[in-house]
Amino acid sequence: MVKRNCPSCGPEYESDEKGRENSISVQLFPPELVEHIASFLPVRDAVALGQTCHYFREVCDTEGVWRRICHRLSPHLREQGSGVRPWKRAAVLNYTKGLYFQAFGGRRKCLSKSVAPLLAHGYRRFLPTKDHIFILDYLGTLFFLKNALVSTLGQIQWKRACRYIVLCRGAKDFASDPRCDTVYRKYLYVLVTGKQSGVAGTTSSRACDCVEVYLQSSGQRVFKMTFHYSMSFKQISLLGQETQRALLLLTEEGKIYSLVVNETQLDQPRSYTVQLALRKLSCCLPHLRVSCMTSNQSSVLYMTDQGGVYFEVHSPGVYRDFFGTLQAFDPLDQQMPLAVSLPAKVLFCALGYNHFGLVDEFGRIFMQGNNRYGQLGTGDKMDRGEPTLVTFFPEPSSQPSPLGPQPPAVPLSRTLALCPQVPYLQRPIALWCGLNHSLVLSQDSDFSKELLGCGCGAGGRLPGWPKGSASFVKLHVKVPLCACSLCSTRECLYMLSSHDIEHCLSYRDLPAPWAVDSLEPSLGARAPQDTGVAAWAFEEYLSQIHSCSTLQDRMEKMKEIVGWMPLMAAQKDFFWEALNILQKTPGGAAPGPSTPES
């Protein structure tokens, strides 16, 4: 018998006298032996053992244990990757990786797991095309799963004997035609880090970024464009028609560059030079640092590192769907960025053809745009020209209605900006907007996940709701435990499973309730109790600023409060930039405690 003796929880003795005499402490064993034994456990058991006591937590959290577990899971892996705990991260990534799909047609209505490339180091991104699937791992290797899906008697299923090849290495990002229909995805654009020859007469080479274009049908490279070694990009997106395809490139410094190519001439063997131009967002607002972007055929959405959101709309019809009017649309200046107002910092977003969704730092979902099929999830079919907070009322388990419940939508101009009493979709992990429906992957308090959807249900795109729903309802899909992203096509629903311990999404708790109506003309239009709550909240924030001991702390606290206030993104950027200027001004107020007069 072995007795576990933990300093934090004390020894555990056997109940009988004989067991007490023969038991020994596990701490008497050499630590190397205990770690070696723990390394033979599966990943799930190793994590569970580390949660029993402080001693086993230290044992199961050592990099030596996870290095052996990782080598057992992926013998081919030679690089452990990056991070604070690289071997544990690598083991968890390879243990949780998976690509699941559920076909909309046919008799089989269950979630199936695809054939995984053995050489992949976790799954970071995936993109389905008409017949194939492309997967990017965490080491920058892009895999081409050829002829993955087959149709048998009208039923879409995964081909068990599908072949996968390594399309390229050193990939940072990839993109294809942004439309929802996979038929249009003819070419695949891959952002790759390559080598550029040095000065003539030398053998040195420099790392440079390039864009390689592949045929999705065969995986053959048909075009390659190389950039100067001084420019480093991290994301690529596509915009526009085939004959005027705009490539949007996001640099490491947060600047947006673009160039235009003609896809109909990519398969012709010729060489030419294209002009790389700075996008108007980076020209007009040079202080903004864009963190990511997403696009469709006629619009693109930019997110800044401060949580601001800016739009480019290139079609008058889409502009009307997004904002409900054509008043500010300029057909001669379509690159002019449009700020989207939200009361809090935006963490991630999703862009459909004529509607989009935003998720803020408190885990709330705001939808805007066309709502003809109920794809905004507001409980009705009225278009929204401003971000609308989506409320969610769990439906009763008995006698579910195909149309779903009808909760009231909460427009931004009528809602309590930070009101915890409003029920909303909590802890969303991923958001996806399609042509006329939307999907949300959410997580409960017990870490179980569920899939919610709204909009058009034709063709089985909302499993369990063939007539669709104007509000978010729980779909009849069994979600994998580590699902992190999703994608829906005309034939299938895809979910990517991967858990990165270094990048866990966490939301903030809502502060004390305070009501500020940013779109009301005067305070007199508000209810008296709302004005009182707002005044109390502002007094609380002033006391927090006054409690800071140094000017630096007060500036940081003021920036944090500006992020909480329901201001437009451009207004927030102005205040943040002004505070930064005041903070860096020479000869300003010296840091230190303030006097009562100040």
Side-chain angles (χ1 to χ4, degrees):
M1 293 186 178
V2 177
K3 175 186 67 176
R4 187 187 72 215
N5 188 4
C6 180
S8 59
C9 48
E12 294 184 1
Y13 296 98
E14 299 292 337
S15 58
D16 56 320
E17 190 72 22
K18 183 178 179 180
R20 186 182 300 111
E21 294 176 356
N22 297 333
S23 63
I24 59 175
S25 173
V26 71
Q27 292 179 322
L28 298 178
F29 292 102
E32 296 81 3
L33 179 61
V34 180
E35 293 178 4
H36 183 73
I37 296 174
S39 65
F40 288 95
L41 294 175
V43 174
R44 182 187 295 270
D45 295 340
V47 174
L49 181 62
Q51 297 174 350
T52 56
C53 68
H54 180 71
Y55 173 75
F56 281 121
R57 180 181 179 181
E58 291 183 349
V59 170
C60 296
D61 207 36
T62 58
E63 282 294 287
V65 172
W66 289 106
R67 177 170 51 83
R68 285 188 282 267
I69 293 177
C70 187
H71 285 166
R72 190 175 70 249
L73 285 174
S74 304
H76 61 277
L77 186 63
R78 300 181 183 274
E79 301 179 14
Q80 73 273 23
S82 60
V84 180
R85 293 171 294 178
W87 285 113
K88 182 176 182 179
R89 179 173 181 254
V92 174
L93 282 175
N94 287 278
Y95 178 76
T96 58
K97 68 178 180 182
L99 180 61
Y100 298 83
F101 76 99
Q102 179 170 328
F104 294 142
R107 299 179 180 178
R108 191 173 182 180
K109 300 291 184 180
C110 61
L111 200 68
S112 304
K113 187 174 182 180
S114 66
V115 178
L118 297 178
L119 299 178
H121 178 51
Y123 292 164
R124 194 174 73 182
R125 271 200 61 199
F126 77 102
L127 178 69
T129 58
K130 182 180 179 181
D131 302 311
H132 318 300
I133 293 180
F134 298 88
I135 297 179
L136 179 65
D137 71 353
Y138 280 83
L139 293 180
T141 305
L142 184 61
F143 294 90
F144 175 34
L145 278 66
K146 196 170 184 179
N147 296 324
L149 296 176
V150 295
S151 177
T152 305
L153 300 178
Q155 178 180 350
I156 302 296
Q157 61 182 1
W158 190 270
K159 187 177 179 181
R160 286 292 175 181
C162 73
R163 298 181 293 111
Y164 65 88
I165 60 175
V166 175
L167 192 66
C168 65
R169 301 184 185 275
K172 294 183 177 181
D173 194 20
F174 63 98
S176 185
D177 192 291
R179 283 174 284 190
C180 297
D181 197 343
T182 57
V183 177
Y184 298 104
R185 297 173 183 174
K186 180 180 179 181
Y187 293 101
L188 187 74
Y189 295 77
V190 186
L191 179 61
V192 186
T193 298
K195 294 292 185 180
Q196 187 180 40
S197 301
V199 183
T202 63
T203 58
S204 61
S205 60
R206 295 171 175 173
C208 63
D209 289 348
C210 58
V211 174
E212 299 179 351
V213 185
Y214 295 86
L215 277 173
Q216 73 86 24
S217 57
S218 61
Q220 178 185 0
R221 193 179 74 180
V222 296
F223 192 76
K224 180 180 180 180
M225 58 188 79
T226 304
F227 305 101
H228 194 264
Y229 65 87
S230 62
M231 306 191 68
S232 178
F233 303 101
K234 66 177 182 179
Q235 188 182 355
I236 181 174
S237 292
L238 302 184
L239 178 70
Q241 300 287 342
E242 290 86 346
T243 55
Q244 288 289 324
R245 182 75 74 193
L247 274 67
L248 305 178
L249 298 167
L250 175 61
T251 65
E252 298 288 348
E253 294 78 19
K255 304 298 181 182
I256 304 293
Y257 288 86
S258 65
L259 58 91
V260 179
V261 296
N262 188 353
E263 282 191 356
T264 60
Q265 300 178 358
L266 288 179
D267 53 352
Q268 300 177 6
R270 65 192 186 98
S271 176
Y272 60 93
T273 303
V274 294
Q275 183 179 2
L276 190 65
L278 192 64
R279 209 68 176 176
K280 193 164 188 177
L281 174 69
S282 299
C283 291
C284 297
L285 303 172
H287 64 280
L288 290 182
R289 184 183 178 94
V290 179
S291 59
C292 64
M293 57 184 176
T294 179
S295 64
N296 61 21
Q297 186 179 4
S298 56
S299 60
V300 56
L301 187 149
Y302 303 105
M303 279 183 51
T304 66
D305 57 349
Q306 298 292 339
V309 178
Y310 293 85
F311 248 106
E312 277 186 25
V313 184
H314 297 245
S315 169
V318 176
Y319 189 96
R320 183 190 295 273
D321 288 334
F322 280 150
F323 303 100
T325 179
L326 288 175
Q327 183 177 0
F329 180 75
D330 187 0
L332 302 178
D333 190 9
Q334 298 178 354
Q335 289 191 21
M336 176 59 67
L338 305 170
V340 179
S341 174
L342 266 188
K345 179 180 179 180
V346 177
L347 295 186
F348 60 93
C349 59
L351 179 62
Y353 174 68
N354 52 15
H355 75 289
F356 64 92
L358 307 171
V359 179
D360 70 356
E361 57 185 332
F362 303 107
R364 300 174 301 177
I365 299 179
F366 294 85
M367 305 292 289
Q368 179 177 338
N370 186 284
N371 199 22
R372 179 180 180 183
Y373 297 93
Q375 60 263 41
L376 300 184
T378 55
D380 52 39
K381 295 185 179 180
M382 298 175 57
D383 297 345
R384 298 297 196 278
E386 60 182 13
T388 301
L389 177 64
V390 178
T391 57
F392 174 67
F393 292 87
E395 56 186 287
S397 57
S398 60
Q399 298 180 357
S401 172
L403 296 179
Q406 304 295 319
V410 187
L412 186 61
S413 60
R414 299 290 180 185
T415 185
L416 296 180
L418 298 174
C419 182
Q421 284 80 16
V422 178
Y424 54 90
L425 296 172
Q426 297 185 3
R427 290 181 290 273
I429 298 175
L431 176 64
W432 187 86
C433 295
L435 183 63
N436 47 31
H437 72 294
S438 305
L439 301 175
V440 173
L441 183 63
S442 64
Q443 179 175 284
D444 294 334
S445 57
D446 59 349
F447 299 101
S448 62
K449 295 180 175 62
E450 60 183 10
L451 186 62
L452 307 172
C454 64
C456 179
R461 64 191 67 183
L462 296 180
W465 302 85
K467 295 184 179 180
S469 174
S471 58
F472 279 99
V473 291
K474 185 177 180 180
L475 304 183
H476 297 177
V477 177
K478 185 178 180 181
V479 182
L481 181 62
C482 297
C484 61
S485 64
L486 70 157
C487 174
S488 180
T489 64
R490 182 183 296 180
E491 300 86 8
C492 291
L493 168 68
Y494 297 91
M495 279 186 285
L496 186 71
S497 173
S498 181
H499 180 69
D500 189 357
I501 62 175
E502 300 290 342
H503 299 87
C504 295
L505 186 64
S506 60
Y507 295 108
R508 298 174 54 189
D509 295 330
L510 286 169
W514 58 287
V516 177
D517 197 342
S518 61
L519 301 182
E520 290 290 344
S522 64
L523 290 174
R526 300 192 189 98
Q529 61 270 21
D530 294 345
T531 306
V533 173
W536 173 85
F538 287 134
E539 291 179 1
E540 178 67 21
Y541 289 138
L542 286 175
S543 64
Q544 293 180 13
I545 295 175
H546 186 72
S547 63
C548 298
S549 59
T550 63
L551 178 61
Q552 180 76 15
D553 295 339
R554 292 183 179 183
M555 287 290 187
E556 296 299 330
K557 176 59 69 174
M558 188 60 196
K559 292 178 184 179
E560 183 179 356
I561 293 174
V562 169
W564 290 345
M565 298 178 69
L567 302 174
M568 296 179 61
Q571 294 172 336
K572 288 185 180 181
D573 293 332
F574 166 75
F575 282 117
W576 281 325
E577 189 66 21
L579 289 172
N580 288 330
I581 294 175
L582 293 175
Q583 197 170 2
K584 298 175 182 178
T585 300
S594 62
T595 61
E597 290 79 11
S598 63

